[in-house]
Amino acid sequence: MASSMWRSGVFLCLCACGHGPSAVHEAAPSKVTAHYTVTNSDNFRGALVRVCLEGGPVRALVPIDGRVGARVRGASLDGDALDIRDDRIILRDSVGTDCIDYATRFERSWLPNHGSSALVVSQAQWLWRPKPFPESFDASVRFVLPSGTRAALPWPQAGGVYLPDRSAFFADTYTVFGAFEVRNFSIADTDVEVVHLGALPSDAAVRRWLDRAMRAAASIGPFPRDRVQFVLTPVEVSDDDAVFGMLRRGGGASILLVPSTNATREGLDRDWVAVQELSHLWLPRFHPRDRWISEGIATYLQEVLRARCGFQTETRAWERLAEGFERGRRSGTGRSLTAESRDMDRTGAYHRVYW
């Protein structure tokens, strides 16, 4: 995350890392297949979802994230209303082969105005999962959208249908709805999809920026992902070329990057935000209380890898590390790193956790 993001903690406060799935106390079915059809509702203010389940037993559909701001707005099975308790859709009988309909309302996007009508939301705002979650789970997601619009997710596709793996039902990722441009290319033996929202630097500048970041991250060894999605949402600022970035892993690697609308090739060449976010992919997901480990390693790598690839001098890399360590030493609330990591989105102790 870049310097202006440190001064704009509001973005991070709204985007805390999600917890892993809660423990399941009831016997899980051996296999369930779920086919989701997601239809735009009220000009992308919500979604109408039909999920057809095969197998079971499934006793409820539950949101994948307890922090989700959207709320389910009614559910039915064969036209008969289903009970909803704490956002859980209660199924009266164990499902064998049934189709459940439910409606959700999206919370207002927290993203800055990126000059695009497209909407970026977590899939947690429209994707409910079976409970108990099965040992074997195959899912497909099909979108029904207005003409001239599309959806973009970091999930594999076949014939226009998304095929998310089980991690998509336990961890956030970005869903982009609306009219936007997409670029596809390959870097460091990795398929890259770039979703453009709003005014951006030239395609050549963006390609060079991401190419350098990917090659820096891949200088450790073969890049740990076959595919990465970047969502670029520019913002009007005067002092930074890249404001901040965030990684989401639900069903695939998706990285949100917020460049300045005034970004230049030279400024993007100096960027470290994209390298830091990509560096996280070398690490597993950590519990929020342990974010000092993942953020600290990625912060270290952002300097070391850029020096290794000749994007900055070795001397400058050590200077930046020393400066960062001093910022971290001076900041924070004086508590343990565990406490700082757990609460940093509330306390703003980012320097302490990252450095």
Side-chain angles (χ1 to χ4, degrees), residues 135-177:
E135 298 174 5
S136 176
F137 185 60
D138 292 326
S140 66
V141 179
R142 182 175 67 92
F143 291 97
V144 179
L145 303 171
S147 176
T149 66
R150 62 171 73 179
L153 291 118
W155 301 341
Q157 295 185 63
V161 176
Y162 284 99
L163 304 172
D165 63 27
R166 66 187 294 121
S167 70
F169 294 84
F170 291 97
D172 281 330
T173 197
Y174 298 112
T175 312
V176 186
F177 291 120

Side-chain angles (χ1 to χ4, degrees), residues 115-303:
S116 168
S117 61
L119 176 70
V120 183
V121 298
S122 168
Q123 93 285 19
Q125 296 195 41
W126 52 265
L127 186 66
W128 265 241
R129 70 169 183 250
K131 182 178 175 59
F133 198 78
E135 298 174 5
S136 176
F137 185 60
D138 292 326
S140 66
V141 179
R142 182 175 67 92
F143 291 97
V144 179
L145 303 171
S147 176
T149 66
R150 62 171 73 179
L153 291 118
W155 301 341
Q157 295 185 63
V161 176
Y162 284 99
L163 304 172
D165 63 27
R166 66 187 294 121
S167 70
F169 294 84
F170 291 97
D172 281 330
T173 197
Y174 298 112
T175 312
V176 186
F177 291 120
F180 50 85
E181 296 183 7
V182 176
R183 302 286 187 271
N184 292 281
F185 42 84
S186 179
I187 304 174
D189 297 323
T190 302
D191 292 330
V192 174
E193 177 180 270
V194 182
V195 178
H196 286 229
L197 305 181
L200 290 167
S202 68
D203 282 348
V206 170
R207 172 69 181 268
R208 175 182 169 87
W209 172 33
L210 299 181
D211 185 278
R212 286 164 61 91
M214 287 286 297
R215 293 189 186 283
S219 65
I220 297 175
F223 194 70
R225 294 292 187 277
D226 295 328
R227 186 173 184 272
V228 175
Q229 179 195 67
F230 292 96
V231 179
L232 306 186
T233 64
V235 64
E236 293 185 5
V237 293
S238 59
D239 60 342
D240 285 304
D241 291 294
V243 181
F244 72 98
M246 291 178 292
L247 168 69
R248 293 292 181 264
R249 304 173 186 254
S254 183
I255 296 175
L256 179 79
L257 294 173
V258 181
S260 167
T261 54
N262 300 315
T264 63
R265 169 175 162 167
E266 293 74 19
L268 292 176
D269 280 355
R270 294 190 300 270
D271 172 61
W272 51 264
V273 176
V275 178
Q276 188 200 58
E277 298 306 325
L278 287 164
S279 295
H280 278 289
L281 294 173
W282 287 103
L283 306 169
R285 289 181 69 214
F286 283 79
H287 192 280
R289 68 181 178 230
D290 298 320
R291 286 170 68 182
W292 64 273
I293 302 175
S294 61
E295 298 296 356
I297 293 174
T299 300
Y300 175 77
L301 288 175
Q302 80 193 22
E303 305 303 335

Side-chain angles (χ1 to χ4, degrees), residues 23 61 65 91 156 171 197 211 244 272 318 329 355:
L61 295 176
D65 187 341
L91 305 180
L197 305 181
D211 185 278
F244 72 98
W272 51 264
W318 285 118
R329 186 185 66 81
W355 288 101

